Amino acid sequence: MKIIEPIAFLMNYFDGEEVMKFLELCGRTAYQSAKNISNDSAEKFIRNIIKRGHESVLEHFSCTFKIICDRGVMAELTRHRLASFTIESTRFCDYSKDGLTFIKPCFWQNGYKNFNCSNHCSAEWAGMMISIENSYKYMLNEGATPQEARSILPNSLKTEIIMTANLREWRHILKLRTAKDAHPQMREVAKMILDALKRKLPVIFEDVGE
C-alpha cells in the first residue's frame, strides 16, 4: 500500500504573453478595433473584457492539467460540464501486483481545525485502507475481475485525470472550488491549479481565489 499527496500540474506549454495577444486579437473582432493593438495593449484589453463580463473571448484558449487526486475529488471535478476528461479506469487497471495507492486526506495531515478527532481518525483511516487492499487482492485471487473487485474501492483511492477546459471555464471552476466552503481536498487541488494559471496568465486569474 502507498499513501501519497495530491498533485496537479499544467501539461501544455505556452507563452502567457502570446496567449494574451492572441485573445486580444480575437476579442477586438467584436469591436473591429484591431488597429488599436500595440505592444502593451493586451493586458488592459483583457482586464476590460473581464470587467464587462465579456468572458466568451477567453474561450478561445484552453489549458490541460494532469491531476493526481482521490476519487472523491475526481467526482467533483467531473461535475463541470464544459471540460474534457481522461481518467484512470478501475475497470481495467489491476492493482494486485503493485498494490493500491491512496491519497491521504489533508484535514488530518495538516491539522484541519474543523476536524476534532485527527489522531484517532487518521489511524482508523489507515487501518481501513490496509483492510480494503487485502480484501481487493483476495477477491482477485479468488477469480474476481478488476471491474468486479473495484466495488469495494473507497473515495481515498488515488486516480489520475487529464482535464482540459477553456480559460473562461477554468475561472468558473476555480472560483467555486477555491471558496472557503469548498471541500478541503477539492480546495487543496484547486489551489494548485490556480497557482499554476496565475503564474502563466496573472491578469486573467488575478481576481480568482483569496
Side-chain angles (χ1 to χ4, degrees):
M1 182 179 81
K2 296 177 184 177
I3 299 174
I4 64 171
E5 306 277 346
I7 190 171
F9 57 89
L10 189 62
M11 290 187 69
N12 52 327
Y13 298 94
F14 55 86
D15 184 308
E17 291 185 6
E18 291 302 314
V19 171
M20 293 285 286
K21 291 177 181 178
F22 170 72
L23 292 173
E24 180 188 16
L25 181 61
C26 294
R28 285 191 181 277
T29 300
Y31 312 105
Q32 290 295 287
S33 61
K35 62 182 182 296
N36 295 330
I37 293 176
S38 65
N39 288 335
D40 59 356
S41 60
E43 185 173 312
K44 181 179 179 180
F45 180 82
I46 296 301
R47 279 200 175 99
N48 282 337
I49 63 169
I50 290 174
K51 183 178 180 180
R52 295 177 182 179
H54 190 187
E55 295 191 19
S56 61
V57 174
L58 304 181
E59 296 176 14
H60 293 296
F61 190 80
S62 297
C63 293
T64 298
F65 280 83
K66 183 170 185 177
I67 303 164
I68 299 175
C69 60
D70 75 8
R71 293 188 69 83
V73 171
M74 177 209 74
E76 295 204 22
L77 285 172
T78 54
R79 292 179 63 191
H80 294 283
R81 305 294 191 267
L82 301 180
S84 299
F85 303 93
T86 301
I87 302 173
E88 178 180 347
S89 173
T90 54
R91 281 193 67 199
F92 303 112
C93 292
D94 184 339
Y95 302 108
S96 60
K97 181 178 179 181
D98 297 325
L100 296 174
T101 300
F102 302 103
I103 303 292
K104 188 174 182 181
C106 60
F107 35 77
W108 291 324
Q109 61 193 19
N110 296 329
Y112 183 59
K113 64 181 180 180
N114 292 327
F115 212 95
N116 297 319
C117 56
S118 57
N119 293 332
H120 297 298
C121 288
S122 181
E124 182 69 19
W125 174 85
M128 182 57 69
M129 297 307 104
I130 293 171
S131 177
I132 287 172
E133 180 180 58
N134 290 337
S135 295
Y136 176 84
K137 289 181 176 180
Y138 174 81
M139 292 170 73
L140 292 178
N141 288 336
E142 290 297 306
T145 62
Q147 71 176 359
E148 293 168 344
R150 76 169 185 173
S151 60
I152 66 168
L153 297 178
N155 274 349
S156 289
L157 183 73
K158 160 260 179 189
T159 193
E160 298 187 12
I161 307 169
I162 307 299
M163 181 175 178
T164 301
N166 64 56
L167 296 178
R168 183 185 193 179
E169 183 65 7
W170 277 122
R171 279 175 54 83
H172 169 68
I173 292 168
L174 295 171
K175 283 181 179 180
L176 292 176
R177 301 304 185 178
T178 61
K180 290 183 179 180
D181 59 350
H183 189 281
Q185 289 175 281
M186 180 68 257
R187 195 165 183 249
E188 180 184 29
V189 170
K191 282 184 173 182
M192 296 180 196
I193 297 171
L194 180 58
D195 287 346
L197 290 173
K198 281 190 172 184
R199 286 193 295 270
K200 297 290 285 187
L201 298 163
V203 172
I204 294 176
F205 291 92
E206 64 187 0
D207 62 333
V208 180
E210 295 180 306

